Amino acid sequence: MKMKTRSTSPFALAPHTRRSFLKMLGAAAATAPFITRNLFANTPSTRIRHAAVGVGHMGWQDLVQIAGCDNLDIVALCDVDEKFLARAKEAHPNARVFSDWRKMLDAMGSQIDTINVSTPDHMHAAIAVSAMQRGIHAYVEKPLAHELHEVRRMAEIAREKKLVTQMGIQIHSNAHYRIAVQTLRSGAIGKVREVHSWCYKTWGDDKPMPARTDPVPAGLDWDCWLGVREARPYIGPDYYHPKNWRKRLDFGTGTLGDMACHIFDPVFKGLDLAAPISVRSEGPLSEHGNWALNARAIYTFAKTRYTAGDTMRLCWYDGTERPPAEVTSLIELDKLKDNKLPNNGSIFVGEKGALLLPHYSRLSLYPSVKFADFQLPRERGANHWKQFIEACRGNGKTSTHFDYSGPLTEAVLLGGIASRFPQTTLKWDSPALRFDLAAANRHVRRPYRKGWEVAGL
């Protein structure tokens, strides 16, 4: 099944001079009368006014998908990079454009009903919470935030204000993941003893930071890009912007943060997991201000009705790390493509068999002879973005609202913190947001740069 996020946008990037672009940046779009925010949720035909913050890369895909929803107007576009903003403006000429999301919310907060936040990880919480405090419904890319405290507060604020929320793990709505959840809950492989999940990506760097300062490229608002983080010189090309920020401890969350929100999703949903009891990193130390190239983390969870034993282990591997032979031997590698594991996925080890779930395609059950006649549940996929927009109108509910995706993200971020303390089992007190190690608690919350503080965070 092909996902729309993989499609090529029909919009071409038109050339703009810096002078014409800056003139356009300050121009206001035509406006139309709208009913009040408090009423629009009960009127499905009402047009929704949407703002997009971060319109490059995945942000562009989010914009394309949300803009394709019925009865919706893109009223505001925001990005720190003029070239990304110019392409979005070309596609949505009536939208107002901004390089600073704070100015956008100050100028248009009462004219925005929904927002998507598709920026680097370190800015998710500040932007989303600032919008939610104004009563704006929020679609936020994964991971929900960079810090554990931020994630917790985002869920609390959304709940307090009764807002519609969705985290951008679009594969959650894919039929293959839905089928996997139902298969696990059906008891096909019995109660699950342990799960092994992996990803081939290497969002890490083992080299020290370059000892240089480069000029900030024209059209990039570096101060707004840094946002809540401490000021520092720009290094280019592509050391931070536009995508290698994922490798940097201050801005991204490594391969684990990037991909485990996807890959852990059917594990959490299928096994009804809550917060982990403990987490342990058996990979290399994250250093030089970067995430490590390869990670190996072991989570321990309390039992649920779908798991065997008093506790259950969830093991994560990325880069070149993979599950051990005693685990991979359960899934008949000789019958898989190229006789090897898929690049990304999970193996569920149950009392009655094993389940292989590639990210994201059809699952397989083993031993294959035993499950030859097994009929998989029938599930239909959904449009993750449309689900959010329709829920904002009062039509149905979102499936990755912050009360679900918040705890999922917290678990993912715990593995990142553990990587700073290799070979140490960190016990986790979820209600208190505390580890049993004082040094680890310093990474639960970090202060924002002066002038970038956000009420509620």
Side-chain angles (χ1 to χ4, degrees), residues 55-254:
V55 295
H57 301 293
M58 192 61 206
W60 172 249
Q61 298 298 329
D62 288 336
L63 175 60
V64 169
Q65 294 289 342
I66 291 172
C69 294
D70 295 334
N71 297 318
L72 180 142
D73 294 312
I74 302 298
V75 298
L77 302 163
C78 182
D79 202 291
V80 298
D81 192 319
E82 283 184 7
K83 65 178 180 294
F84 294 144
L85 201 50
R87 175 174 64 171
K89 178 67 174 179
E90 183 73 15
H92 302 283
N94 290 329
R96 291 183 63 179
V97 288
F98 300 84
S99 63
D100 189 329
W101 56 273
R102 299 170 300 177
K103 293 180 179 179
M104 180 193 78
L105 290 176
D106 286 344
M108 297 188 65
S110 63
Q111 303 167 50
I112 296 169
D113 301 313
T114 58
I115 192 172
N116 71 280
V117 180
S118 307
T119 65
D121 301 348
H122 71 290
M123 292 305 300
H124 286 185
I127 300 169
V129 166
S130 296
M132 290 192 295
Q133 298 283 28
R134 290 170 166 84
I136 299 171
H137 304 290
Y139 182 107
V140 181
E141 267 304 330
K142 50 77 187 168
L144 208 53
H146 193 276
E147 314 294 338
L148 286 162
H149 169 78
E150 294 175 328
V151 175
R152 185 66 59 88
R153 286 298 296 139
M154 289 170 74
E156 290 170 349
I157 291 167
R159 196 180 312 125
E160 291 164 6
K161 293 189 169 291
K162 298 180 173 57
L163 295 171
V164 175
T165 57
Q166 183 94 303
M167 184 165 79
I169 45 173
Q170 68 277 7
I171 313 304
H172 179 94
S173 296
N174 179 283
H176 290 303
Y177 267 21
R178 291 184 171 195
I179 290 169
V181 168
Q182 293 306 317
T183 301
L184 289 165
R185 292 187 168 191
S186 75
I189 62 170
K191 292 189 175 183
V192 174
R193 293 194 176 103
E194 59 185 33
V195 183
H196 298 261
S197 300
W198 66 93
C199 175
Y200 77 101
K201 290 186 178 181
T202 53
W203 284 119
D205 191 346
D206 58 2
K207 298 180 291 296
M209 180 184 296
R212 68 171 194 271
T213 298
D214 296 318
V216 177
L220 174 64
D221 188 332
W222 178 237
D223 188 61
C224 273
W225 191 96
L226 288 171
V228 300
R229 289 291 175 260
E230 301 83 357
R232 69 202 69 197
Y234 175 81
I235 300 174
D238 199 29
Y239 187 79
Y240 296 113
H241 178 74
K243 62 182 181 180
N244 279 329
W245 52 266
R246 291 191 185 278
K247 301 179 179 181
R248 317 303 169 201
L249 291 171
D250 284 349
F251 305 109
T253 47

Side-chain angles (χ1 to χ4, degrees), residues 286-304:
S286 299
E287 53 187 351
H288 304 307
N290 304 317
W291 295 102
L293 287 170
N294 299 295
R296 190 151 41 97
I298 300 173
Y299 295 85
T300 302
F301 292 88
K303 68 179 180 180
T304 74

Side-chain angles (χ1 to χ4, degrees), residues 23 67 70 81 113 258 303 336 339 400 431:
K23 181 179 180 181
D70 295 334
D81 192 319
D113 301 313
D258 178 37
K303 68 179 180 180
L336 298 180
N339 300 324
T400 61

Side-chain angles (χ1 to χ4, degrees), residues 310-388:
D310 292 333
T311 60
M312 193 213 72
R313 290 198 319 161
L314 168 57
C315 303
W316 170 263
Y317 316 80
D318 66 43
T320 60
E321 296 284 344
R322 291 295 181 274
E326 58 265 29
V327 174
T328 58
S329 65
L330 299 173
I331 62 166
E332 303 169 18
L333 285 172
D334 60 315
K335 296 180 181 178
L336 298 180
K337 183 180 178 181
D338 299 325
N339 300 324
K340 64 180 184 179
L341 291 173
N343 284 336
N344 313 284
S346 296
I347 295 173
F348 298 78
V349 181
E351 296 171 316
K352 301 177 183 178
L355 185 153
L356 169 65
L357 178 61
H359 174 74
Y360 44 95
S361 60
R362 184 184 176 90
L363 65 84
S364 301
L365 297 172
Y366 301 93
S368 56
V369 171
K370 176 179 178 179
F371 293 100
D373 298 323
F374 182 82
Q375 296 295 313
L376 291 175
R378 301 185 68 177
E379 288 281 340
R380 299 183 64 181
N383 185 303
H384 202 63
W385 300 267
K386 183 177 179 180
Q387 184 185 79
F388 167 69

